[in-house]
Amino acid sequence: MHPARLAPAHLALAVLVAAVWGVNFVVIEIGLDHFPPLLFSALRFLVAALPAVFLVGRPKVAWKWIVGVGLVLGVAKFGLLFTGMDLGAPAGLSSLILQVQAVFTALFAFAALGERPGRLKVLGMAVALAGIGVAAVDEGGSGPLAGFALVIAAAACWGVSNVLTRKAAPPDALNFMVWVSTVPVLPLLALSLLLEGPERDLEALRGLDWTGVGVIAYVAWITTVFGFGAWGLLLRRYPASSVAPFSLLVPVFGMSSAALFLGESVSPLRWCAAALLVGGVALTSFQRKAVAEPEVRVLVPTPNGGATP
């Protein structure tokens, strides 16, 4: 039997992970000033995988799930997210919009797994989509819609990867994430050479400075290795329903840190979009009654990076 209420130390750890994942969007924004988006994403997964892959042991799920999640989450989701932010999607807004992955997860789980959403979950999905609409109106008046659209597409890919992860049912979140990180490196490098060009990639690598090293270390080791290691620890000790709501803090930290460090303004419309999105995702995640916890813990939808950004 797992306790439903987090101990004070674990409560602090859950908030810390949410803060790490929220600030990650600011770090990504800084990193995009040093690297082309696809190269940056490839380097992130390369550093996350090495040397951790030699320390976490052999994969604990079939390779088809590792490759599938690696391509959908690592190549598609993060490639779209980093490119969308590079095209002008603000860091704070991106941290918020990605939360719509919960809606996509519910839709894809219904289509692929037959998980029929209840009325409360459908209401939550409608509220969250209304938040996306409000954010689109706000962004249409102040920023490029192309970047906004790519971030929404990234959230959809995240929803697909969540369904694949449920099917894989990895018993160890950190082991799974490290092995998944090995998959996107070569495809992202190939896409970077093809779309961003070898000259731009070489220029970025030649100009590597301590800031560039720092942002790669943060998105790889702090966000991925520490973040998922800590999140997996919490999921092993507590029901997913007690841990998952802390992911709703990510856009709070993302928007506030973007305002603090990047000077991003938050318009009244964006606050309205944030309230609708976070409220809708909360309703989508709500369970009317407790269910028995399975013996095998799986990754639950997280902001981050998931899988974190």
Side-chain angles (χ1 to χ4, degrees):
M1 190 71 179
H2 298 276
R5 181 174 299 178
L6 274 65
H10 293 143
L11 178 66
L13 181 61
V15 174
L16 176 61
V17 172
V20 163
W21 283 340
V23 173
N24 186 55
F25 289 88
V26 172
V27 177
I28 292 172
E29 189 77 37
I30 296 171
L32 290 171
D33 291 333
H34 293 74
F35 307 100
L38 296 176
L39 175 64
F40 185 22
S41 190
L43 293 173
R44 171 256 177 91
F45 283 109
L46 176 64
V47 175
L50 299 175
V53 73
F54 299 109
L55 305 175
V56 297
R58 297 171 60 86
K60 298 180 180 180
V61 299
W63 270 104
K64 65 179 180 179
W65 301 119
I66 292 173
V67 173
V69 174
L71 292 176
V72 176
L73 181 71
V75 179
K77 184 254 183 176
F78 281 104
L80 289 168
L81 172 64
F82 281 35
T83 302
M85 292 181 65
D86 189 58
L87 289 177
L93 181 64
S94 297
S95 72
L96 174 65
I97 295 303
L98 271 184
Q99 294 303 310
V100 81
Q101 56 83 18
V103 174
F104 286 116
T105 299
L107 291 174
F108 295 144
F110 171 66
L113 306 177
E115 296 181 4
R116 185 178 298 274
R119 292 181 180 178
L120 193 60
K121 183 165 289 190
V122 171
L123 174 62
M125 292 162 62
V127 171
L129 290 175
I132 291 290
V134 172
V137 171
D138 180 58
E139 186 67 7
S142 61
L145 281 176
F148 179 87
L150 288 182
V151 175
I152 294 179
C157 292
W158 193 359
V160 174
S161 74
N162 284 332
V163 173
L164 292 176
T165 300
R166 285 189 192 179
K167 293 286 288 184
D172 186 331
L174 179 60
N175 174 281
F176 183 68
M177 191 60 208
V178 168
W179 280 103
V180 163
S181 295
T182 65
V183 175
V185 178
L186 292 180
L188 283 169
L189 284 175
L191 286 172
S192 180
L193 289 171
L194 179 65
L195 301 176
E196 296 166 344
E199 296 84 3
R200 189 180 175 193
D201 288 351
L202 286 174
E203 181 182 359
L205 293 174
R206 286 174 183 153
L208 185 64
D209 56 15
W210 285 111
T211 301
V213 171
V215 297
I216 292 174
Y218 186 94
V219 299
W221 293 334
I222 305 299
T223 300
T224 303
V225 178
F226 166 75
F228 274 92
W231 198 256
L233 170 67
L234 294 172
L235 287 174
R236 285 193 294 272
R237 290 176 175 265
Y238 301 95
S241 58
S242 297
V243 178
F246 286 92
S247 69
L248 297 177
L249 292 175
V250 172
V252 175
F253 285 111
M255 294 177 71
S256 59
S257 61
L260 180 63
F261 296 112
L262 301 177
E264 289 186 6
S265 61
V266 184
S267 67
L269 269 181
R270 192 162 297 180
W271 280 120
C272 179
L276 289 170
L277 258 170
V278 172
V281 170
L283 286 173
T284 302
S285 305
F286 183 77
Q287 294 180 350
R288 293 180 58 185
K289 60 182 180 179
V291 296
E293 289 295 321
E295 289 299 319
V296 176
R297 298 293 181 133
V298 302
L299 286 173
V300 298
T302 61
N304 97 186
T308 172

